[in-house]
Amino acid sequence: MTWTVERLTLDSPLTFQEQIGDPVSDFGGTAVPAPRQALRHSVSLLTVNAVTATDTVAARLTLRRQLRSLMNNSPYKIGGFYVVYSDDAENSGWYVPDMGQMVDLDGSSGLATGMWKLENVVWRKVGTRRTHRRAVLTYTKDLRTGLYPRDYYRQKYSTDWSALTAAPYIYLPPASTDPLVNDSGLPAVATAMPAGWDGSANALITSPGTVLDQTTFSFEEPEASQNLGGVIAYDRQGFVGPFGSGVYDTPAGLINPQTAYGWDEVYGSDFPFTAADVPVIQNALCRCRYETLTARPGFKVDVWTGTTWAEQGKMVLQHHNVSAGLSGFLDTLQSATVLEYTQHRAVIGAIFTSSSDTTVRDRVVITLERGWTGPRFEVYPSPQTSGSVAGSKAWWQLPSNPTNSTLYTPGTVVEATAGEGITAFAGSSHTIGTENWCSLLLQGNAYNPSFAIVQAGLTATSASNGGIGYAGGNNTAIIDDASGNLGYLSVQLGFSLCVSSQTIEAESIKSTSATATIISDAAASGGQAVKDTQTTGVANTLLSGATNLRAGAYRAVVRIKITTPASGFASASLNSGANLVTTGGFANTAYVWLDMGLATSGAASPVNLLATTTNSSDPVVVDRLEFIKAQDRGVAGTETFDGTQDLAQSVLYDSRILSTIVARS
Amino acid sequence: MTNPPARLDPRTYSFRHIKPSATGAVTVLGRTFGFEELPTSALPSSPDMVSGQWTGRLQDAGDWQAAFPNAMSSDGQLWRNRFSESGRLEWVEIRAGGELEMVGCIETQTPNMNSVTVTGHDAWWCLKSQYERDWQCLQAPRDVIERATRVAVPTVADNFAGTTLNGAIWTATSGGVHGPGTIVVNNGVTLTCNGNSFVEIASPVITSSATKWSVSATIAAYSASATGPATIGIGAANMDILLEISTTAAATVNVQMQDSGYLSPSIPVKLSAGVPIQVLLERDGRWLRAFVNSQLVGIAQAAGTITGQQVVISNLLTVAGTSAITVSNILFRTWEPFLMRGTDKGDYVLPGVAATYPNGGLHGRYYNDLDSGSNLALVLNPSKDNPATGQTAPWDQVDPILLANAVPAGSPLASTNWSAKWFGAIWLPFATAGLTGIAVALSWNASTAVRLWVGNTAFGTQIIDQWAFGSANNQFVSLSAANLQGASGWYPIVVESASNASSTTGPRLVIQPLGAGYTDPGGTVLAANAVITCPATSLSPLGCVDERYQGSAYFDMVQQTANAFGHQITLEPMSLESGVFPGQLCPRVREGHDTEIILEQDTSDRVEPIINYSNGLDSTDQASSLQGAGAGIADGTGSQLQAEAVSTTAMQSFLFDMQGWVDASDVAYEQLLAQRVVSQLALQTTSLQNLTGDPRAMERYADTFPLTGVLAKMRWRPGDGVRVWLPDVNVMDTQTRQLAQITRQFGPLGRTSTSITPGLSMRKG
């Protein structure tokens, strides 16, 4: 028998006094209506676990801490706590508790017994499922206008990227049905997102005409889904793992870290956080955890694959103080806390200093919302000693190098490994100038990471330094305030499913054209390439069968060259029936990455490449094709919106949801 | 209401402290502003903002206040040391759920043992610190309001303290063909010429494009001959506007105003020993005026756009001898756009319907120009409206049409060398089906100069500008929904003409509906594409502000003008980064919009609730007849305008004739006075209903009313309309009523209450 408030489960109340009816007033001898009041139920609770086997003193003290953090989280409270009262299901519903007193049960030995009583607290019942529907209130600010802050501490207003498309993303809780735009009475179209760690799938609404700021979306939802798919914050209590041989999921499947690892769920700022650790935050799709065991301290991010949490890499942050020539890594944690918590959004704050630079004291903010595939990292570097603002650097390092890696920055250059005689990024920087993102394409990996930014003036750098996030010189993408004077850095990570057809070796799909032949080429990835001598577009050079690309839009790049002498000019045309047609020209005798632009592909469409040269004695040579998923919006109802542009467009809105309810009409 | 509103509102409040900052990114009135996000905390033990409230009002300024603990905030600053109430330099932005609700100026702060309370008003209140010195106004009411949203900014100000010339303000030049003079600073600057010499100090180039500015200075001492004047004024790349001062006799200086090609007559000004001379040179849009010791010494039309302007003080002597001028202080001010500096300029159309303004022609005002002859720089100057300056009083009448009018019969004006202004309103029904535009035109003879304004009547916006003699012509200007915002209605119009010695007639005003015809308010049918003399039935003598402002606060000018012409107005707060911080004050035919929302008793979660409501009915100012007194001297002989309106229906139903009085000394026109009295009586025959209450008033999207299916955000701003359904207090609206005032109270966790007191007042019936 339990009293479950949001995610916190206590034993049944000692007392539960249900108030019924509205107040009535007197005017003389006449009964007249009094102002309506909320139903005020008086409840007394004990910090006791309902399961006797686990009802230890330590567990009771944990409950007290969690209850305190929950009750002192007023912004969360004002949106209504959902209470499941197992003894009396008719009284389950949304409550807003008043203030109360936590009393030592026997007057003296609370700390020894863990027995505390939250006594006669008024719990205002604001709705039940029979009278109300769960709802969310949107907070969607178009950051391109320059009228709303782009950062957590509300310091950065700008119109950077104002010419780009932006999209508000609203994630409704799992199992929501009959979504309604309450303001208009119009049904809303929500797309189910991939299922997450707890088996639940949030639903995304992103139609710009529907998702307006301060709109109310109401929906039906089974009580069992009330607490699923949301954000959870943990204080790890010193249990930082690794747990078993996997990342954090041994045994595989649904593991509750609170019971399996001894992590405590935290529901607000008022919690005695474990020193020298940063609270973990996770939603159903990803988890961000502070990690100090491998190389420099940083934040590892795991993605839920459907069966396991899979480590995708590590974010290491660095102070970038250009004018003073200092660049200390943020390697010394001073303090950390939960700045904000509801089940829709959690924000972690941490203060870091640097062991190599005594001028560094940077604030780091990590935000995770319901439905996000990765966290957002924000860094507020401490000023330089001169008082001028400083910069920051974010290193995202891979746990290991895949067969091929590509760092793609729109409008600039493709940075890739393998096939170029190296196994790791050689390292070069490119300004992120055309669109507000860059992305890694990792051949053979399950997921590709993308990096979305909200400021202009940043660079994307490929690197393979050892000892950053991991001991080895793994490939790394660096998002850098190269000028060192922006005073702020924001990088939002996103992870999209990677399929094999996103990286295709030319020799694997050579057509039967008489002019096309497979050649050995040490400079080509896999040691082979396809040569074509045709001077007019008679036959496709490459011809794939059906690919496993998801329907969507892709940035397509081709690794290509012409042979010596360099008198010729070659062109390539990428096509797939009517869906995908892009063309580019070049005259390079060493392999170059030819950006074919944004192309759309239907599900299972073939990919064909028509390569020609102006001189048949200077044949064109194709090494491989790559497709960076920009938008996963190909087929209505099955979109995942996890492409790089999807992510980048979403960060140009500050999209949040706030809990509320509406009366049934 | 289509669906129930949300019940829980977890949006939090935030404060942004706006203040001058060297590293800020936004410039307002020449100052660079930055901001600091004030800490707020949701923790129960927070040392940050405790509570606050703001009030927005229709037709009046809003206000705000906030309370903080008299302690150290969570970011380590003492609340009592954080703010400055001085100089209107510090502001706060109050946001709910990230959405801007109020931009308030910090005007008071009151720390006590427990708390620090900070209060202020919105930016409209700043206009109480701006005064109109002397302005003869003949403009559209919207233009008057726009003018009154500007504020004076000191661009150059120096009292020459100490003994060194301020190098940040002045650059000295001396010599040239006349040899060097000397500059001495000793709590004043003295420019001395010994023999044939020249000396000047000049400010940096001023980038302001303001067309209202003034240079005022105190000349502490002056000695010179007539052969080389000292000057104070504006030196510009393309012209000089200067006050020239020279001496011809003891205790007398001669002063002349120089405006490029124009040099005013030399005016001798008597000096008293030891008494400094106060000089003022001002440009006010079209006119340039100079004063010495408050005596007008020159007036002329300012010539064109000034570029590269600098404030200069110079002294020149072209013969042997000595001359010196000592200036103890100088101030150059420009009147810069402040509360209407965005693209939104409010509504050009006059509020009301066809019957709001009487038709019958334009108000004509004729001037005798024999004194100025054909000098167009002097005709129609403001002194002609003031007989005290020695000018012949202008002659006023209503002219049904403009068709080569001659000077009015019976007037004392000469038949040539005259000028005139015709003003009022013109009916332009842009919303007529099929109408693609309306062309208006003037035609004139070779000895007449003309100008025409429609809608926007500020100088510089004339749509026909032939202010020169020499060629007969006609000019059509096509007005359309695009350039006048598309509303059908009365638009202010001003026509000016000047006739020289060869002309006895003024211009012809022509109108041509384009694409479709229409019937004007007087019943005249204007056929599509027909070119006709604009009929009297399309013209009204009312519609412009015809008033002289002296010592009027800009706040009052905005408020009174809006009230007089029926404009609705409220300060719309705008954020620092909007480009129009701290807000926009734009007169409109209608502020806000009508929504489908119905405020009801809080009986269930399905309604938009209002609590603590009351419906007061008040007949204390009820009347069945109203007497109105307009402009003029109450000498009992007809010098003062009088008008009376009577409601016989009300009179018969009341116990006796309940009389009222309208004091309208600002109204100088009989028809307008009568109209005001009639409209006022229409209000006062019924009781005043004062409906107040506390709605929950959470922002959301709502349909319009009547329903159109178009949703818009209902922000609960002054001017928005709702219906009220409270049968228990006898209120059952079938039409919307506007919010006249709304007060939001809040804490860091969110909104604690909303009041609309007296936000829903209206006349019963």
Side-chain angles (χ1 to χ4, degrees):
Chain A
M1 297 301 102
T2 55
W3 173 269
T4 301
V5 191
E6 296 288 288
R7 295 185 57 83
L8 176 63
T9 299
L10 301 167
D11 201 0
S12 285
L14 288 176
T15 60
F16 180 87
Q17 296 167 336
E18 180 184 2
Q19 179 184 307
I20 295 175
D22 283 331
V24 176
S25 185
D26 299 326
F27 189 80
T30 306
V32 295
R36 201 162 70 106
Q37 293 184 351
L39 294 172
R40 299 157 63 89
H41 300 348
S42 179
V43 182
S44 293
L45 296 167
L46 284 179
T47 55
V48 175
N49 193 329
V51 181
T52 306
T54 57
D55 185 25
T56 63
V57 171
R60 292 171 182 172
L61 290 173
T62 296
L63 286 177
R64 184 176 78 135
R65 287 192 287 269
Q66 291 176 322
L67 187 58
R68 183 193 296 123
S69 71
L70 184 68
M71 299 289 277
N72 282 344
N73 186 348
S74 295
Y76 190 12
K77 182 171 83 171
I78 294 297
F81 290 150
Y82 192 79
V83 172
V84 179
Y85 188 11
S86 66
D87 288 346
D88 184 358
E90 290 182 8
N91 274 313
S92 293
W94 287 276
Y95 288 81
V96 177
D98 207 336
M99 62 195 305
Q101 286 76 43
M102 191 92 80
V103 183
D104 184 339
L105 192 61
D106 69 359
S108 61
S109 59
L111 289 174
T113 64
M115 293 286 279
W116 300 82
K117 183 180 175 185
L118 187 56
E119 206 167 31
N120 297 326
V121 172
V122 170
W123 290 66
R124 289 177 175 77
K125 186 193 284 180
V126 291
T128 64
R129 289 186 186 276
R130 60 183 174 274
T131 58
H132 290 74
R133 280 157 60 98
R134 193 180 185 191
V136 295
L137 186 66
T138 63
Y139 175 106
T140 53
K141 311 298 183 191
D142 186 346
L143 302 183
R144 297 170 302 174
T145 62
L147 300 179
Y148 302 100
R150 297 186 170 215
D151 63 315
Y152 179 76
Y153 284 114
R154 300 194 286 258
Q155 301 296 312
K156 304 295 176 185
Y157 293 72
S158 90
T159 54
D160 289 352
W161 313 110
S162 58
L164 298 182
T165 301
Y169 282 15
I170 293 298
Y171 292 95
L172 298 185
S176 55
T177 56
D178 186 27
L180 179 72
V181 184
N182 245 64
D183 306 79
S184 64
L186 294 172
V189 177
T191 304
M193 293 290 102
W197 161 76
D198 53 14
S200 68
N202 293 303
L204 175 67
I205 301 176
T206 185
S207 167
T210 303
V211 182
L212 301 171
D213 185 35
Q214 297 178 13
T215 312
T216 304
F217 289 94
S218 68
F219 49 89
E220 302 291 346
E221 179 196 48
E223 186 176 78
S225 298
Q226 175 73 33
N227 294 324
L228 298 181
V231 183
I232 307 170
Y234 295 103
D235 181 277
R236 291 191 288 189
Q237 298 290 302
F239 303 117
V240 297
F243 303 103
S245 58
V247 177
Y248 271 70
D249 60 325
T250 302
L254 180 59
I255 293 289
N256 182 343
Q258 188 158 239
T259 54
Y261 311 146
W263 298 358
D264 290 347
E265 291 190 9
V266 178
Y267 309 118
S269 303
D270 189 4
F271 193 90
F273 294 101
T274 304
D277 195 15
V278 179
V280 169
I281 44 174
Q282 71 173 56
N283 60 19
L285 301 176
C286 66
R287 173 186 287 170
C288 178
R289 53 191 167 89
Y290 183 56
E291 202 273 342
T292 61
L293 301 176
T294 56
R296 298 182 185 279
F299 296 90
K300 286 186 172 176
V301 177
D302 310 319
V303 166
W304 180 254
T305 65
T307 54
T308 185
W309 289 106
E311 182 176 318
Q312 300 300 308
K314 186 172 177 180
M315 181 67 81
V316 175
L317 302 169
Q318 187 179 15
H319 190 86
H320 194 169
N321 191 343
V322 170
S323 63
L326 302 171
S327 292
F329 280 92
L330 306 188
D331 55 12
T332 308
L333 176 66
Q334 297 296 332
S335 66
T337 188
V338 172
L339 294 172
E340 203 181 304
Y341 178 78
T342 68
Q343 65 165 263
H344 302 312
R345 169 183 161 100
V347 183
I348 305 295
I351 305 293
F352 281 93
T353 55
S354 174
S355 60
S356 62
D357 184 349
T358 57
T359 68
V360 172
R361 186 181 185 276
D362 292 2
R363 291 187 293 177
V364 175
V365 176
I366 307 165
T367 303
L368 189 61
E369 292 187 12
R370 177 187 293 279
W372 286 10
T373 60
R376 174 185 299 161
F377 294 91
E378 295 174 274
V379 188
Y380 296 82
S382 55
Q384 304 178 49
T385 50
S386 65
S388 304
V389 295
S392 300
K393 238 176 175 179
W395 301 65
W396 176 256
Q397 190 158 45
L398 302 174
S400 59
N401 278 346
T403 308
N404 285 295
S405 306
T406 302
L407 175 61
Y408 181 78
T409 309
T412 57
V413 183
V414 178
E415 189 70 25
T417 63
E420 297 184 29
I422 56 174
T423 57
F425 283 144
S428 61
S429 294
H430 312 293
T431 300
I432 307 175
T434 305
E435 295 182 36
N436 61 322
W437 59 269
C438 60
S439 180
L440 283 169
L441 180 58
L442 308 174
Q443 186 178 16
N445 268 29
Y447 293 89
N448 291 320
S450 296
F451 313 90
I453 59 175
V454 295
Q455 303 163 280
L458 301 182
T459 59
T461 303
S462 59
S464 54
N465 305 54
I468 300 294
Y470 300 89
N474 304 340
N475 281 341
T476 304
I478 305 170
I479 311 299
D480 188 13
D481 165 13
S483 66
N485 60 11
L486 293 179
Y488 171 72
L489 180 73
S490 169
V491 179
Q492 180 153 344
L493 280 173
F495 295 92
S496 64
L497 270 172
C498 183
V499 297
S500 58
S501 295
Q502 287 182 250
T503 305
I504 305 176
E505 290 292 348
E507 57 270 26
S508 69
I509 58 168
K510 187 191 81 68
S511 72
T512 57
S513 166
T515 58
T517 54
I518 295 176
I519 61 170
S520 295
D521 186 350
S525 55
Q528 289 186 312
V530 173
K531 178 179 77 176
D532 202 327
T533 58
Q534 64 180 331
T535 55
T536 57
V538 176
N540 284 318
T541 308
L542 307 179
L543 189 63
S544 81
T547 68
N548 61 355
L549 293 175
R550 284 178 54 81
Y554 292 82
R555 298 294 302 214
V557 291
V558 181
R559 191 162 190 260
I560 199 166
K561 66 180 180 180
I562 58 174
T563 55
T564 54
S567 59
F569 178 83
S571 65
S573 170
L574 194 63
N575 65 80
S576 173
N579 295 323
L580 195 152
V581 179
T582 58
T583 303
F586 63 99
N588 304 70
T589 55
Y591 278 117
V592 293
W593 285 98
L594 190 61
D595 191 337
M596 309 294 282
L598 192 67
T600 58
S601 173
S605 298
V607 170
N608 306 327
L609 184 88
L610 185 70
T612 61
T613 175
T614 53
N615 187 340
S616 59
S617 61
D618 306 330
V620 60
V621 180
V622 185
D623 177 24
R624 75 174 189 264
L625 302 173
E626 292 193 346
F627 299 92
I628 295 98
K629 188 165 70 174
Q631 298 174 4
D632 194 316
R633 312 176 193 175
V635 180
T638 64
E639 314 99 310
T640 57
F641 293 93
D642 64 354
T644 54
Q645 273 187 349
D646 294 321
L647 175 73
Q649 291 178 9
S650 74
V651 304
L652 295 179
Y653 263 88
D654 187 348
S655 302
R656 311 178 196 177
I657 53 173
L658 307 171
S659 289
T660 188
I661 58 173
V662 299
R664 292 188 179 279
S665 58
Chain B
M1 185 186 311
T2 309
N3 283 283
R7 301 305 303 171
L8 298 169
D9 185 1
R11 292 171 306 163
T12 55
Y13 267 77
S14 60
F15 267 67
R16 201 155 68 122
H17 184 194
I18 313 292
K19 56 186 177 180
S21 166
T23 57
V26 178
T27 301
V28 180
L29 298 177
R31 288 183 189 272
T32 305
F33 283 83
F35 67 87
E36 180 181 53
E37 188 76 24
L38 293 181
T40 54
S41 171
L43 284 173
S45 56
S46 162
D48 298 328
M49 189 263 285
V50 174
S51 64
Q53 77 169 44
W54 62 265
T55 298
R57 298 183 179 91
L58 202 58
Q59 310 302 104
D60 205 349
D63 57 52
W64 71 281
Q65 69 175 54
F68 307 90
N70 191 351
M72 188 172 286
S73 62
S74 61
D75 67 354
Q77 294 187 52
L78 290 167
W79 283 109
R80 61 178 175 271
N81 293 341
R82 192 184 282 265
F83 303 108
S84 169
E85 76 293 342
S86 179
R88 307 291 184 267
L89 288 169
E90 298 199 359
W91 300 74
V92 294
E93 290 181 3
I94 302 171
R95 291 172 185 254
E99 209 60 32
L100 186 66
E101 288 196 334
M102 178 69 172
V103 175
C105 185
I106 297 175
E107 295 165 2
T108 74
Q109 57 172 329
T110 310
N112 62 25
M113 283 181 64
N114 306 320
S115 64
V116 177
T117 303
V118 184
T119 72
H121 292 86
D122 66 20
W124 187 357
W125 195 262
C126 290
L127 301 182
K128 280 185 176 283
S129 301
Q130 290 293 304
Y131 283 86
E132 192 66 62
R133 193 184 65 79
D134 187 0
W135 181 41
Q136 186 70 46
C137 166
L138 177 55
Q139 280 192 351
R142 192 216 67 84
D143 302 324
V144 173
I145 291 172
E146 179 171 5
R147 174 191 174 97
T149 61
R150 297 182 177 135
V151 292
V153 177
T155 308
V156 174
D158 196 2
N159 61 2
F160 303 102
T163 57
T164 307
L165 192 67
N166 187 338
I169 300 178
W170 302 107
T171 299
T173 308
S174 184
V177 296
H178 298 295
T182 61
I183 300 172
V184 175
V185 176
N186 186 7
N187 292 319
V189 63
T190 301
L191 308 184
T192 303
C193 294
N194 292 306
N196 185 10
S197 58
F198 169 73
V199 60
E200 174 184 286
I201 59 173
S203 73
V205 171
I206 297 159
T207 56
S208 171
S209 59
T211 57
K212 183 180 180 187
W213 50 256
S214 72
V215 181
S216 56
T218 302
I219 301 176
Y222 182 74
S223 64
S225 71
T227 52
T231 59
I232 292 178
I234 295 296
N238 59 343
M239 67 179 75
D240 294 326
I241 301 174
L242 301 167
L243 203 57
E244 295 188 354
I245 302 158
S246 60
T247 305
T248 55
T252 303
V253 292
N254 278 343
V255 182
Q256 287 181 287
M257 187 185 71
Q258 175 191 327
D259 171 17
S260 292
Y262 174 76
L263 189 64
S264 75
S266 179
I267 304 291
V269 177
K270 293 281 186 185
L271 301 180
S272 299
V275 178
I277 308 171
Q278 303 290 337
V279 298
L280 170 65
L281 180 65
E282 68 174 12
R283 181 182 181 185
D284 190 350
R286 178 181 189 171
W287 300 107
L288 191 65
R289 293 192 288 187
F291 298 85
V292 174
N293 289 342
S294 302
Q295 178 183 346
L296 180 68
V297 297
I299 185 167
Q301 182 167 297
T305 304
I306 303 174
T307 57
Q309 54 198 332
Q310 295 171 279
V311 178
V312 296
I313 305 172
S314 70
N315 195 12
L316 168 67
L317 186 63
T318 57
V319 297
T322 299
S323 72
I325 181 170
T326 301
V327 177
S328 56
N329 60 65
I330 190 165
L331 171 63
F332 177 67
R333 284 180 286 207
T334 59
W335 273 255
E336 301 290 345
F338 182 42
L339 299 182
M340 203 190 294
R341 60 183 206 275
T343 55
D344 184 358
K345 301 294 184 186
D347 292 336
Y348 287 91
V349 69
L350 293 163
V353 296
T356 302
Y357 288 87
N359 63 70
L362 295 178
H363 186 143
R365 181 168 292 159
Y366 295 77
Y367 300 88
N368 185 350
D369 286 336
L370 286 172
D371 58 332
S372 53
S374 58
N375 187 347
L376 288 170
L378 296 177
V379 301
L380 294 177
N381 75 66
S383 69
K384 289 179 172 292
D385 288 302
N386 183 4
T389 60
Q391 302 280 350
T392 303
W395 178 270
D396 288 74
Q397 67 176 30
V398 173
D399 288 324
I401 58 173
L402 270 61
L403 183 60
N405 300 27
V407 293
S411 76
L413 305 177
S415 61
T416 58
N417 280 320
W418 60 281
S419 58
K421 299 174 185 174
W422 289 275
F423 55 92
I426 184 170
W427 177 255
L428 300 174
F430 288 118
T432 302
L435 190 75
T436 57
I438 299 173
V440 293
L442 290 178
S443 61
W444 61 90
N445 63 43
S447 298
T448 301
V450 295
R451 279 176 171 145
L452 171 65
W453 292 260
V454 176
N456 190 343
T457 60
F459 190 76
T461 62
Q462 53 269 34
I463 57 177
I464 294 177
D465 190 7
Q466 182 58 42
W467 205 240
F469 300 120
S471 60
N473 207 338
N474 63 71
Q475 184 177 346
F476 278 76
V477 177
S478 181
L479 303 173
S480 66
N483 55 24
L484 280 178
Q485 302 170 332
S488 290
W490 290 102
Y491 285 83
I493 182 171
V494 176
V495 181
E496 288 183 357
S497 86
S499 296
N500 64 16
S502 302
S503 174
T504 58
T505 58
R508 177 190 180 201
L509 177 63
V510 168
I511 192 164
Q512 181 189 23
L514 302 173
Y518 58 85
T519 302
D520 71 15
T524 303
V525 176
L526 283 79
N529 305 314
V531 177
I532 60 170
T533 298
C534 189
T537 48
S538 287
L539 299 171
S540 172
L542 307 180
C544 289
V545 179
D546 178 22
E547 193 169 342
R548 185 177 186 183
Y549 292 100
Q550 284 185 302
S552 302
Y554 278 15
F555 179 96
D556 298 329
M557 288 172 65
V558 170
Q559 190 176 49
Q560 290 168 5
T561 305
N563 288 339
F565 285 84
H567 284 101
Q568 297 192 347
I569 193 162
T570 188
L571 195 287
E572 175 69 26
M574 303 297 286
S575 70
L576 182 64
E577 291 78 11
S578 66
V580 287
F581 176 85
Q584 285 279 91
L585 189 61
C586 301
R588 304 184 198 287
V589 172
R590 166 64 197 267
E591 191 68 51
H593 71 292
D594 287 332
T595 68
E596 57 162 332
I597 290 173
I598 303 173
L599 293 177
E600 297 181 67
Q601 190 180 359
D602 184 26
T603 54
S604 88
D605 287 359
R606 296 181 184 84
V607 303
E608 187 74 51
I610 181 170
I611 62 173
N612 301 329
Y613 50 83
S614 67
N615 177 26
L617 296 172
D618 182 352
S619 71
T620 52
D621 68 346
Q622 200 171 11
S624 54
S625 68
L626 274 186
Q627 185 75 34
I633 302 168
D635 56 5
T637 62
S639 299
Q640 185 179 33
L641 296 178
Q642 301 273 340
E644 184 176 22
V646 174
S647 168
T648 52
T649 306
M651 203 175 284
Q652 289 163 1
S653 64
F654 295 169
L655 179 61
F656 56 89
D657 175 22
M658 296 170 64
Q659 298 175 346
W661 187 266
V662 176
D663 187 0
S665 59
D666 58 316
V667 178
Y669 192 70
E670 185 74 38
Q671 269 182 291
L672 181 59
L673 178 64
Q675 187 183 17
R676 182 182 290 188
V677 173
V678 168
S679 57
Q680 183 66 32
L681 179 64
L683 295 174
Q684 287 188 232
T685 52
T686 59
S687 302
L688 176 68
Q689 182 187 53
N690 187 12
L691 179 60
T692 66
D694 299 341
R696 204 162 64 89
M698 186 173 165
E699 294 84 347
R700 65 186 183 91
Y701 285 81
D703 202 341
T704 56
F705 187 80
L707 300 177
T708 60
V710 178
L711 297 185
K713 192 183 284 185
M714 173 50 163
R715 300 163 55 216
W716 299 87
R717 305 296 304 183
D720 287 331
V722 297
R723 286 169 290 162
V724 182
W725 192 262
L726 298 170
D728 56 336
V729 293
N730 294 329
V731 178
M732 289 164 282
D733 288 344
T734 55
Q735 297 297 320
T736 56
R737 57 174 86 205
Q738 284 184 278
L739 305 176
Q741 175 174 310
I742 182 164
T743 299
R744 302 282 204 184
Q745 294 182 314
F746 55 86
L749 293 177
R751 194 171 289 151
T752 52
S753 73
T754 298
S755 299
I756 41 178
T757 309
L760 294 166
S761 299
M762 59 164 42
R763 289 283 169 174
K764 185 185 178 188

